[in-house]
Amino acid sequence: MNAKQSPAPLEIHDLTVAYHKKPVVWGVDLEVPAGQLIGIIGPNGAGKSTLIKACMGLLPTHSGWVKVFGKPLKADPTRVGYVPQRESVDWDFPVSVMDVVLMGRYGRLGLIRRPGKEDREIARECLDRVKLLPYANRQISNLSGGQQQRVFLARALAQQADLYFMDEPFAGVDAATEAAIVTVLEDLRDQGKTLLVVHHDLPTARSYFDSLLLLNMNVVAFGPTESVFTAEMLQKTYGGRLTILSEVASTLAAEEGGNPVRR
Amino acid sequence: MKGGGLNQAKRGLLGLGLALMAVSIASAASVSEIMDTEWREQLGRFFSMRDPSLRFALVGSILLGLSCGLLGSFIVVRRMALVGDALSHAVLPGVALGFLWGMTKDPLAIFIGAVIAGLTGTAVVNALVKTTRIKADTALGLVLASFFAVGLCLLTMIQNLPTGNKSGLDKFLFGQAAALGADDITLMAIVTAAAVALITMFYKELLATSFDAGFARVAGIPAEWVHHGLMLVLAAAVVIALQAVGVVLVSAMLITPAAAAYLLTDRMHRMLLMAGGFGILAGVTGAFFSFVGRGLPTGPLMVIGASTVFAGAYLAGPRHGVLARWWRQRSRAARTERENTLKALYHVWEDDGFRDVGVTLADLAQRRRETLDEALRRSRELERHGMASVNRDAVYFTPQGRRRAAEIVRNHRLWELYLTNSANIAPDHVHDDAEEIEHVLGEKTVRELERRLDYATQDPHGKHIPGPRDIHGGVLAGGDKAEGEP
């Protein structure tokens, strides 16, 4: 792989985002290496979603800049894929599962041109990868929460992007769906794609991701999971939120007792 | 099941037509009383199409119905119904200013003035939402009322002016399709053609930004431009509809046909086609009654037509309709009842060791803890559905009934076994759950359950689970030969 010569998939410099003049994300500096599955974790209101939305140009930034593969985002939007939060859309919308997945092709098609046979083929493959092919012609309101989440994942797969932003793709899905999604994410990583995933569950964060970005308004820590997922760092990220911390501390203790973590 | 749905749809449409006819007869009668005109004569004139003003009115209604229906579909799925309302009221001062420009009712001047006023109104709404704490609904209501008030004042002032040809200007409030002229029709045709062309060309962009604007923007679709473009075409469509529908009700022509279509279909392109069709239907109905009724305002009549279509969709829609849902619920309940009777018959028959050919009504009544009359009623119900035959005081399975009974019993016992084995639920807790599940288990799920349970033949209570041989004949009475019989 020529990841070293080519520019980083995502570079953020001094990014500040504010809602009604109150900063939510403050002075974030980040350079994300290629081919990694990266989890973004932090307490509620830490600005996890805000950060990725700002990276994709969905929110106005107060200061700083974001570069995707060394260029401003607008230069080539086809390199960026997005899985929004499931609640962000109206699931009564009159479209079928296939229609939604085809929307993943729209960015590549450009204006006016309609999706063709090849796009349909790709969309079908993507649906198959998330095991939803039998549901292709269903209206989306007839899906369960986990199926809705997989539709969004299939749509992102159809984008054939190199850098993915995913906002809580595991929210409200059952264990089987969660496992299926993890497999798809790992496959994408193994194909050399870079994934930034907003995640809220600490215990699983540790096993799912290669690297972690601990966020609480600004970057508390960013690095390989084994070096960042420590009681000290989590304490810094979550502050005085004892319930979460004690929960994690106990899982950490249990795991470190069993098989020591590499440092 | 599918065919039934289709038939229901057809029946629904038929009902709709009848309702429309009923409305038409009723209103035609009342109109003739009020207006004291020869409505028969008007009717003749309408269908002979000799009158040029009538032709204009009809073509105009079709055009505005089509454009309003198509654009309204996007207004409905984008949840912008209030925006349409505000926009349509905000155009009124523009109409007045367009008139004042040349002191005559020049369609183009009025069109430009109204579009500018409408877009100014939406810009003010956006500015209010962005710069203050006021939320969108309040801002829309505020702009709607204030622009409308200004427009009303201006129009009244114009009416009181000593100069100028003011004829037809008063029709902008409630609409009068008969007031449409050749120039109006040209403008309407241009705007409608533009709306159809733009929706066809940018269907993909409109769909993506309506469903998930954030995703569309990340994918590089200029969501902002799509929105502004839609608002511009919408403003134009509202303005061309003004003269025929009137400022007060034009937003209803945007949302009502689209809302009816939304109830009837689950796909956007079908919704667009239906909404366009409903819009045309409503427009023509309005123009017709307005003409027959001699000077009745067209707008309210069109909206009544559209609302009738909506009411029809609400009541008689094949899937989301109230009647269809009620019917489905009822037939499901009746089927469950029948299956429970079959099951009771099977139980009695099983306790008897499958010896007797029939089951006495007394045994059935005892089993279900009911009176003899009720047992007889249930048995007759089975007979009507070809599941059993009643002969004096005994009930006999038909082959079909026997098979369904065995299936239900199998479903029940399989499910009980599954819950006790795989979900670790105590055997005395599983019966109620199985009572519900037994009626809805599909063959595929049953195969899966059988496989998982290792083709067990005993349920948690030690009862035999009917297998394929019991269900499809063989051991039990009836046999293979009986299968083929009707």
Side-chain angles (χ1 to χ4, degrees), chain A residues 22-61:
Chain A
K22 212 166 82 189
V24 183
V25 167
W26 206 353
V28 168
D29 280 310
L30 196 66
E31 194 173 331
V32 171
Q36 280 207 0
L37 184 47
I38 299 154
I40 303 176
I41 57 174
N44 287 333
K48 303 183 294 269
S49 291
T50 306
L51 176 66
I52 65 165
K53 279 184 185 156
C55 287
M56 290 180 291
L58 290 178
L59 292 175
T61 56

Side-chain angles (χ1 to χ4, degrees), chain A residues 56-59 73 77-78 80-84 88-96 99-100 103-104 106-115 137 139-140 142 152 155-156 159, chain B residues 74 76-79 129-130 132-133 199-222 226 262 265-269 271 319-320:
Chain A
M56 290 180 291
L58 290 178
L59 292 175
L73 179 78
T78 60
V80 177
Y82 179 30
V83 176
S88 65
V89 303
D90 170 18
W91 289 93
D92 282 331
F93 198 90
V95 284
S96 68
D99 292 337
V100 175
M103 286 181 197
Y106 286 7
R108 285 180 180 270
L109 288 168
L111 286 179
I112 300 176
R113 202 149 64 93
R114 294 285 179 84
N137 291 319
Q139 205 256 333
I140 52 171
N142 296 329
F152 267 5
R155 180 177 66 172
Q159 291 185 286
Chain B
F74 286 108
V76 166
V77 296
R78 289 169 91 101
R79 300 179 176 188
V129 172
K130 269 205 182 122
T132 68
R133 294 161 44 170
I199 288 175
T200 319
M201 267 160 68
F202 296 106
Y203 175 69
K204 181 184 90 202
E205 285 74 16
L206 282 164
L207 187 71
T209 54
S210 302
F211 175 62
D212 190 346
F215 179 86
R217 277 170 66 190
V218 173
I221 294 172
V226 173
Y262 183 71
T265 177
D266 282 339
R267 301 293 294 277
M268 191 70 205
H269 58 274
M271 181 175 164
R319 246 177 306 176
H320 308 297

